[in-house]
Amino acid sequence: MKHYYVFLVLALLLTFSCSKETDIDTNSTSENVYVIRNNDFGIFANKTNARATTDGINKAIEQAKADGYNIVKLTEGDYLIYCVGQSDRYPVNGIFVPTNMTLDLGDARLYVEPNSSNHYALIQIDHVENATVIGGHLIGDRAQHDKNHIQGYGIQVIASRNVTIKDVKIEGMTGDGIVFTTYIYMIFYGRFPSKNVLVTGCDISDCGRQGIHVIQAKGIEISNNNFHDILGGGNQYAIDINPNDAWQSIVEDVKIYHNRFKNCTNGSMRLWNGNDIEVYENQIENMGIFCVSPERVRLQKNILTDNGTIYIADGSVDICVPTEGENKNECLKVTDLSTKTGSFSCD
């Protein structure tokens, strides 16, 4: 009899446990993940109905936030996204990531609906904090775009803080894979730069202007990414650190490290301007690094194969580019025309 009661208790516990399993909301896990049910929001995962799909994904993200979720996940599929309708970098369409939210694209593929617009951005991170985009494959309309525009973006980050872009594959944008900027009317006098930004583990290729274009940001890390085949359009650098002097925009405190660069028309990176930049331990295949007029830059332990060179123009100030010792860069040639001050050290 004693054994019978023990068995009965165990059976009841097992039954209770199983019943609790079946009651779990499929929208959530212990990590507070909201998995989007496409049918509930009129979303198409077969590369059709761009307007309805875009509106549906944004509504699902809003619903997840309203319900207290901080991670929203898109299921695998092919999603056509309506992106156009912005002017002078005012974001109107595309997918918007709100404050305190991670957008997990998983194995989803998001396509820009082919258009002829001067501006578009597939994903918008606009004046928010603690926003993350992870995973997924973003595909632009460069092959179908009927005009030579260079302001179509995979991800546009505007005046936001604590932003992470991780493990995203981006290709075929008419402009930049990722751009960091702000509204033109706000950018004067260095107002509202994005701060504390990480781009890591991404694969960026075949964009019409740059892989990553930094116009306005403070505290940005670009690490462990793969840049390749940025060919045949405007500028064509994998990374362009390029605050706009006319707008008085600012870029400072930049770290670029452990990236791989291959087959980009004009080079791996251009440091047009900006302050306090570190570039180290990057693998660069047969391409150069160009410094035009930045200040306080350290280039260390980079490997530039074949004809890879480092060119530092005479407008640059305080550049450290070791050619010997443990921090030296391996390259064909270093041309250093920069100005040094007594207060600057390579340490």
Side-chain angles (χ1 to χ4, degrees), residues 6 37 69-70 90 107 140 143 161 174-175 192 195 207 211 223 251 259 264 281 293 321 342:
V6 172
R37 297 188 181 100
Y69 291 89
N70 54 27
Y90 285 87
D107 295 320
R161 298 191 177 194
T174 62
F192 303 106
K195 295 182 179 180
C207 295
S223 68
V251 176
N259 300 285
C264 302
E281 296 178 6
S293 56
V321 52

Side-chain angles (χ1 to χ4, degrees), residues 243-258:
N244 190 311
D245 290 339
W247 298 348
Q248 300 183 44
S249 61
I250 54 176
V251 176
E252 62 185 40
D253 187 16
V254 179
K255 292 181 174 62
I256 301 171
Y257 60 95
H258 297 173

Side-chain angles (χ1 to χ4, degrees), residues 41-58 78-84 93-95 110-115 122:
F41 296 94
I43 298 168
F44 294 81
N46 60 355
K47 203 178 173 184
T48 63
N49 297 282
R51 177 82 270 179
T53 296
T54 306
D55 291 344
I57 293 173
N58 282 321
D78 296 296
Y79 300 87
L80 192 63
I81 305 301
Y82 183 83
C83 303
V84 303
N93 292 301
I95 305 302
L110 278 64
Y111 296 81
V112 172
E113 183 180 43
N115 63 83
L122 204 160

Side-chain angles (χ1 to χ4, degrees), residues 133-150:
V133 178
I134 185 170
H137 186 177
L138 311 183
I139 301 130
D141 71 328
R142 187 180 179 198
Q144 297 87 27
H145 207 82
D146 63 0
K147 294 182 180 179
N148 185 26
H149 297 138
I150 56 172

Side-chain angles (χ1 to χ4, degrees), residues 85-92 119:
Q86 67 177 42
S87 177
D88 293 335
R89 297 177 176 83
Y90 285 87
V92 176
H119 299 84

Side-chain angles (χ1 to χ4, degrees), residues 5-302:
Y5 283 118
V6 172
F7 176 80
L8 181 60
V9 170
L10 289 173
L12 288 171
L13 287 173
L14 182 61
T15 301
F16 178 78
S17 174
C18 291
S19 67
K20 294 296 286 183
E21 286 286 326
T22 59
D23 289 341
I24 291 176
D25 183 353
T26 57
N27 270 341
S28 66
T29 72
S30 60
E31 294 181 334
N32 199 22
V33 179
Y34 185 100
V35 180
I36 297 175
R37 297 188 181 100
N38 291 340
N39 290 338
D40 291 353
F41 296 94
I43 298 168
F44 294 81
N46 60 355
K47 203 178 173 184
T48 63
N49 297 282
R51 177 82 270 179
T53 296
T54 306
D55 291 344
I57 293 173
N58 282 321
K59 287 176 182 176
I61 293 171
E62 292 170 4
Q63 187 64 57
K65 186 173 178 63
D67 290 346
Y69 291 89
N70 54 27
I71 302 174
V72 61
K73 184 169 185 177
L74 198 59
T75 57
E76 183 177 3
D78 296 296
Y79 300 87
L80 192 63
I81 305 301
Y82 183 83
C83 303
V84 303
Q86 67 177 42
S87 177
D88 293 335
R89 297 177 176 83
Y90 285 87
V92 176
N93 292 301
I95 305 302
F96 287 79
V97 184
T99 287
N100 296 327
M101 182 63 72
T102 292
L103 175 59
D104 184 353
L105 298 176
D107 295 320
R109 293 166 295 278
L110 278 64
Y111 296 81
V112 172
E113 183 180 43
N115 63 83
S116 60
S117 176
N118 290 349
H119 299 84
Y120 69 70
L122 204 160
I123 292 178
Q124 308 275 10
I125 301 175
D126 176 26
H127 282 77
V128 300
E129 296 184 2
N130 309 319
T132 296
V133 178
I134 185 170
H137 186 177
L138 311 183
I139 301 130
D141 71 328
R142 187 180 179 198
Q144 297 87 27
H145 207 82
D146 63 0
K147 294 182 180 179
N148 185 26
H149 297 138
I150 56 172
Q151 291 177 309
Y153 312 123
I155 301 176
Q156 178 172 239
V157 182
I158 302 174
S160 296
R161 298 191 177 194
N162 305 327
V163 174
T164 298
I165 301 168
K166 181 178 180 182
D167 298 335
V168 184
K169 184 176 183 180
I170 304 172
E171 65 174 297
M173 302 299 158
T174 62
D176 309 317
I178 304 172
V179 64
F180 295 90
T181 185
T182 191
Y183 301 156
I184 286 179
Y185 84 91
M186 289 182 176
I187 205 166
F188 288 98
Y189 311 113
R191 298 174 64 193
F192 303 106
S194 290
K195 295 182 179 180
N196 190 19
V197 175
L198 173 65
V199 180
T200 187
C202 297
D203 185 287
I204 302 177
S205 66
D206 188 33
C207 295
R209 186 165 62 176
Q210 327 285 5
I212 294 178
H213 190 189
V214 184
I215 301 170
Q216 177 91 327
K218 288 185 177 182
I220 179 168
E221 293 189 24
I222 301 172
S223 68
N224 297 292
N225 302 288
N226 184 29
F227 298 92
H228 58 100
D229 301 304
I230 309 292
L231 303 170
N235 294 327
Q236 298 294 291
Y237 294 93
I239 299 173
D240 192 15
I241 306 300
N242 193 354
N244 190 311
D245 290 339
W247 298 348
Q248 300 183 44
S249 61
I250 54 176
V251 176
E252 62 185 40
D253 187 16
V254 179
K255 292 181 174 62
I256 301 171
Y257 60 95
H258 297 173
N259 300 285
R260 297 165 301 281
F261 300 88
K262 181 179 179 180
N263 202 26
C264 302
T265 297
N266 284 330
S268 62
M269 66 191 81
R270 178 175 65 175
L271 311 181
W272 182 272
N273 208 324
N275 304 320
D276 300 303
I277 301 170
E278 296 183 30
V279 179
Y280 59 93
E281 296 178 6
N282 296 283
Q283 300 282 334
I284 301 169
E285 184 174 321
N286 196 25
M287 289 183 292
I289 296 174
F290 300 93
C291 299
V292 181
S293 56
E295 296 186 14
R296 299 184 300 279
V297 176
R298 292 176 172 86
L299 307 175
Q300 299 178 331
K301 296 184 179 180
N302 299 287

